[in-house]
Amino acid sequence: MYSTAFLDIPALATAGGSVQLPGSKSISNRVLLLAALSRGTTTIHDLLDSDDTRVMLDALRALGCGVEDDGQATHIAGLGDTRPMAAQTLFLGNAGTAMRPLTAALALLGGEYTLDGVARMRERPIGDLVDALRQLGCRIDYLGSEGYPPLRINHAEGVPTLELDQPIRVRGDVSSQFLTALLMALPLVADTQEVAVEVVGELISRPYIAITLALLDRFGIAVENENWQRFRIPAGSRYQSPGSIHVEADASSASYFIALGSIAPSAVGKKGIKIQGVGLDSIQGDIRFVDAARAMGAEISGGPNWLQVERGAWPLKAIDLDCNHIPDAAMTLAVMALYADGPTVLRNIASWRVKETDRIAAMAAELRKLGAGVEEGPDFLRIIPPAAAQAWRAASIHTYDDHRVAMCFSLAAFNPAALPVRIEDPRCVAKTFPDYFETLFSVVQAAAQVPVICIDGPTASGKGTLAAQVAQRLGYRLLDSGAIYRVAGLAARDAGLDIAPANAVTIANLARSMALRFDGAQVLLAGVDVSDAIRTEQAGMDASRVSALPEVRAAVIDVQLAFRSLPGLVADGRDMGTVIFPSALLKVYLTASAAQRAERRHQQLLARGLDAKIADLRADLEARDARDMARSVAPLKPAQDALVLDNSELTIEQAVDQVLAWWQQRQPFAQSASG
C-alpha cells in the first residue's frame, strides 16, 4: 500500500491480464456483526482486510467476542445469549458500515456505550436511525451536534421496555444503512412477537438492502419483504451461525477494473481484463455496473466467479442513467464519462452527499480540474467530456480522505493528451482496497517510458541513502545498482560455482533469475535479507570477479533495466544516468569532498564495530575515484544533463528536499499545493 503524500501515475496506454479482488466491505462488516450476534462460531473465508473491517473487529473484541485469525480464515465466537461487555467507548473511524449497525444492535442488547469516529464521521447523519430507535424506547444521547455522532447509549440497567406493537418507521431516502442497521438488530428482540419496519419515503440503494436480507437468511432470519416498503421479522427469530461462510469479492471495487477494460486498448498478447472473485450472479447490487458499462460500449462476459472485459465502442457512448441501484459504483461512471462521445448524466445520487465526503461536490471539482465541464445539482451530475485531447489538463486530484475518489480518478491517466495524474493521499484506499494501486499497475502499461530518477556519484557520497529516501517519498521502486554484482557473486558462491570464465554463462543466467528487491537499507534476495552478507570483504572480492565477466555484465544490465516499472524508479550507482537510463527525466550527480566522505565512511565502520584511520580512508577513496574515472567501460562522470549536488554541508533531509524540488519542476502540476 502506498503511504506517500501523493502518487504520480504516468500516462497509461494499454491494459491486459487478470486481477483478484478483495472481499466486499459491505458483506464483510455485515457478516462480522451477524456472526457476533449469533450462537456458535462462524468461520469467515475471504474476509476483506481493510480499515473498516479492522474497526469492526476491534469493536467486537472490546464487546467480548472471540476473534481468531489463523491466516486462512477468521473465526468469530458469537455472543449468543451472552450480553456484551458494557461501559465501552468504541472508536469506529469513518466506517458507516460499523457505526450504524452497531448503534442499533447495542441499543437493543443493553449496556452503556459511547460510539465515536473521525472528524468526518461526526459530519455523517445518523439522526433518522436514532429517531427510529427512540420510537422503540431506547435511550440514546448526542454528545455533539444533534443528529450526528458521537452518541451515548444509556442502558446501564438493561434495555428499557420496548414499543414493538407498531411498525418502526425509518426514512429510506438518506441512507440505506439506517434500514440495514434496524433489520440486523431487531431479531434480537423478536423472541415472542413479530417486529415490523416501515420505510418512510423512497428507499434508496435497494441492492444494499438485498445484500442484508440475503445474509440475514444465511444466519437463520427469514425477513418478509413487502415491496420494499415494509419488512417483517417473524416471532421466534434467533440468530444461528451457518458454521462457515465465504465473502464475495467487492463488486464496487470491480467497477474500476470493468472501467479499465472498457477504456484501455488490450495490451499485446492480452485480451482485456479478467476479474476474479465476483461474477454475474453476485448478490451485490453494484454488479449491475456491468449493465451501465455495456450501455457505454464495453464488451463484458462472465461466469459464477469471474468477469472478462474488453473495449468495444470507442469513444464510449454517453448515457443518462438513474444510479439509485449502484450508488458507489456510479462514481466510476463519472470518470468513464470523460471518454464519452457527449454529455453523461448521473441521476438519483443524493446519497453521495452523506458518504465519506460530499461526493457530488468532490467529483464535480476534480472532474473540472481535468478539463471537463460539469453541472452539479442536489442529486445529479452532468459531465461534458473535454472537447479534444488539447483540452485535457494535468491534475492533482484531491481525494478528501475518500477511497473511491482516489481509485476512480486513477483511470484518468488514459487521457488522449498523455498527461500524468497525481493522486493525493493514496493511502485512503486502505478503507476497502489497500493494494489497489499495486493491482492496477500489475495490468497496465505506460504510454511512454516509465519515469526514472538517476542518482550517480562517487563512493561514500551518500547516494544510496539519498536514493532510498527519495524513492520512499515518491512511492517509486528502488534500484541499488552497486549491490547487484555483490548479490550475483553471493548467488554464485551459494550455488557452488567457481567465479571464472568457464562458468560465465551459468552465472549470467543465475543473475538474470535473481528475485531481487531493495527496501530502504535492506537488500532482499528471494525474500531473504542479504544486506549483511553482501557487505563482507569476501562479497566485495566476489563482486569484483563477477563484474569482470562480460556475460555477467550484460545480464546485470538486463536486471537493472527490468527494475523500471510503474509508477517509477529511483536508481543509484555510477553509470545510471550515462549508460543504463540515458533518457531518465532527472539525473543527479551527488558528490561531496573527500574529507567529508572519509568521515562518513569512518562513522559507518565504527557503527559496525570496526575502526580505521580517517587519513587511510581518504587516501583509499581518492585512489578509487581515480580508478573509476579512468576505467574504459562506463567511467564515473556526470551525465551531460545531470544536476550536480554537493552534499558536503547538507543533511540528508536537505538533500532529499532538493532532489524532490528538482523533480517537481519537471512535472506538469509542479505548482500543486500537494507537492
Side-chain angles (χ1 to χ4, degrees):
M1 181 179 69
Y2 290 90
S3 56
T4 53
F6 59 86
L7 179 64
D8 289 344
I9 303 177
L12 302 175
T14 59
S18 178
V19 297
Q20 178 68 48
L21 298 180
S24 161
K25 177 191 72 170
S26 298
I27 295 177
S28 290
N29 266 357
R30 283 169 171 80
V31 166
L32 284 173
L33 182 56
L34 294 175
L37 299 177
S38 297
R39 291 173 172 162
T41 296
T42 305
T43 297
I44 306 172
H45 300 275
D46 303 322
L47 183 72
L48 172 65
D49 179 14
S50 73
D51 287 350
D52 278 22
T53 53
R54 291 187 202 108
V55 159
M56 179 65 91
L57 285 165
D58 288 344
L60 298 184
R61 290 187 186 97
L63 295 170
C65 289
V67 178
E68 179 184 347
D69 189 330
D70 61 12
Q72 302 297 318
T74 301
H75 310 275
I76 306 294
L79 294 169
D81 294 325
T82 305
R83 297 297 91 182
M85 297 174 65
Q88 293 286 328
T89 296
L90 303 178
F91 180 80
L92 301 174
N94 196 15
T97 56
M99 174 65 79
R100 276 74 177 263
L102 277 169
T103 296
L106 293 175
L108 300 185
L109 283 171
E112 186 175 2
Y113 309 95
T114 298
L115 288 80
D116 200 359
V118 300
R120 174 57 186 168
M121 179 61 82
R122 295 183 175 194
E123 298 172 348
R124 299 180 67 178
I126 200 169
D128 293 308
L129 175 60
V130 171
D131 289 346
L133 292 168
R134 285 174 171 173
Q135 289 175 44
L136 286 168
C138 296
R139 295 190 294 270
I140 304 175
D141 300 321
Y142 296 111
L143 301 181
S145 300
E146 189 78 8
Y148 299 87
L151 309 173
R152 177 174 291 130
I153 298 169
N154 293 311
H155 293 172
E157 298 178 0
V159 180
T161 301
L162 300 178
E163 301 290 337
L164 299 173
D165 293 334
Q166 297 297 317
I168 298 97
R169 293 166 59 83
V170 63
R171 283 181 62 182
D173 58 353
V174 176
S175 173
S176 64
Q177 288 180 1
F178 300 155
L179 177 56
T180 278
L182 290 170
L183 291 174
M184 294 172 68
L186 288 171
L188 299 170
V189 293
D191 283 352
T192 59
Q193 70 180 95
E194 177 185 271
V195 181
V197 183
E198 188 173 285
V199 177
V200 178
E202 180 188 7
L203 176 59
I204 65 172
S205 307
R206 289 183 185 178
Y208 285 104
I209 301 303
I211 293 174
T212 301
L213 298 178
L215 293 174
L216 284 168
D217 188 63
R218 290 292 306 275
F219 283 84
I221 309 296
V223 178
E224 183 180 346
N225 176 4
E226 297 182 0
N227 198 32
W228 304 100
Q229 289 301 121
R230 182 175 293 210
F231 300 85
R232 298 183 184 276
I233 299 166
S237 294
R238 305 198 75 177
Y239 281 120
Q240 182 64 45
S241 169
S244 178
I245 190 168
H246 287 259
V247 175
E248 280 187 11
D250 187 43
S252 300
S253 296
S255 73
Y256 313 116
F257 293 95
I258 294 171
L260 173 63
S262 307
I263 293 167
S266 294
V268 176
K270 304 289 186 179
K271 189 179 180 182
I273 298 294
K274 186 168 187 178
I275 300 167
Q276 304 275 11
V278 66
L280 296 174
D281 60 350
S282 170
I283 67 170
Q284 300 170 72
D286 273 347
I287 196 62
R288 292 176 64 187
F289 183 86
V290 166
D291 298 331
R294 283 172 171 161
M296 296 187 80
E299 296 180 357
I300 304 174
S301 58
N305 205 41
W306 60 273
L307 300 168
Q308 185 75 36
V309 189
E310 293 181 76
R311 189 164 88 163
W314 193 256
L316 295 176
K317 301 173 185 175
I319 58 173
D320 188 324
L321 185 68
D322 184 325
C323 297
N324 182 47
H325 59 299
I326 51 170
D328 286 339
M331 294 175 69
T332 314
L333 292 175
V335 176
M336 291 177 70
L338 294 169
Y339 302 95
D341 58 5
T344 286
V345 184
L346 307 179
R347 303 185 186 277
N348 207 356
I349 54 173
S351 65
W352 284 19
R353 298 282 189 191
V354 295
K355 295 286 189 175
E356 282 80 346
T357 188
D358 180 341
R359 285 175 168 170
I360 291 180
M363 294 299 290
E366 305 312 307
L367 288 165
R368 290 185 183 112
K369 287 182 183 178
L370 291 164
V374 184
E375 297 176 18
E376 171 190 345
D379 65 347
F380 75 88
L381 276 180
R382 184 171 184 265
I383 302 114
I384 305 164
Q390 305 92 295
W392 281 79
R393 296 196 294 267
S396 182
I397 302 298
H398 185 60
T399 50
Y400 308 86
D401 195 27
D402 190 329
H403 54 132
R404 301 206 184 281
V405 173
M407 290 187 279
C408 66
F409 274 101
S410 66
L411 301 172
F414 283 93
N415 64 82
L419 295 169
V421 174
R422 172 169 292 174
I423 303 296
E424 299 174 16
D425 185 25
R427 189 201 171 280
C428 66
V429 302
K431 184 176 178 68
T432 52
F433 199 161
D435 295 328
Y436 169 75
F437 291 108
E438 290 87 344
T439 304
L440 175 69
F441 294 149
S442 74
V443 292
V444 298
Q445 295 75 43
Q449 290 187 324
V450 172
V452 175
I453 299 174
C454 294
I455 301 177
D456 290 316
T459 299
S461 60
K463 58 185 179 294
T465 303
L466 177 61
Q469 294 202 21
V470 170
Q472 190 277 327
R473 291 272 293 272
L474 293 174
Y476 281 9
R477 197 173 184 188
L478 175 65
L479 168 59
D480 178 354
S481 65
I484 293 182
Y485 285 111
R486 288 177 174 266
V487 177
L490 177 66
R493 180 169 291 277
D494 288 347
L497 295 171
D498 182 29
I499 301 175
N503 292 322
V505 173
T506 303
I507 297 172
N509 290 335
L510 188 64
R512 283 192 178 91
S513 64
M514 293 186 301
L516 190 59
R517 184 166 64 89
F518 302 100
D519 186 0
Q522 284 188 313
V523 181
L524 303 171
L525 179 61
V528 177
D529 188 348
V530 296
S531 309
D532 293 335
I534 65 170
R535 301 302 176 193
T536 65
E537 184 176 350
Q538 181 63 59
M541 294 171 60
D542 289 343
S544 180
R545 293 169 64 195
V546 297
S547 66
L549 302 173
E551 296 88 346
V552 177
R553 291 190 67 86
V556 167
I557 290 175
D558 290 343
V559 172
Q560 292 169 339
L561 292 172
F563 267 80
R564 187 173 197 160
S565 60
L566 290 166
L569 174 68
V570 179
D572 87 81
R574 293 184 178 84
D575 60 358
M576 294 295 98
T578 54
V579 176
I580 308 303
F581 300 108
S583 61
L585 291 179
L586 174 62
K587 301 170 188 175
V588 176
Y589 188 81
L590 187 69
T591 188
S593 67
Q596 183 62 49
R597 289 187 287 139
E599 175 61 31
R600 291 172 182 168
R601 177 56 56 87
H602 187 243
Q603 293 300 320
Q604 291 172 352
L605 292 172
L606 289 177
R608 293 165 54 188
L610 303 173
D611 197 7
K613 294 181 179 179
I614 292 182
D616 292 342
L617 292 173
R618 177 171 178 172
D620 180 65
L621 287 171
E622 290 174 336
R624 184 165 181 174
D625 288 349
R627 290 195 304 270
D628 287 344
M629 292 176 182
R631 66 189 183 189
S632 58
V633 178
L636 174 64
K637 63 178 181 179
Q640 286 188 344
D641 53 348
L643 298 176
V644 177
L645 178 60
D646 187 327
N647 71 343
S648 300
E649 304 298 327
L650 299 179
T651 65
I652 182 61
E653 291 79 12
Q654 290 171 327
V656 170
D657 288 344
Q658 179 60 74
V659 172
L660 290 176
W662 285 336
W663 183 243
Q664 291 283 57
Q665 291 169 9
R666 286 160 168 73
Q667 307 311 307
F669 24 67
Q671 302 306 312
S672 167
S674 69

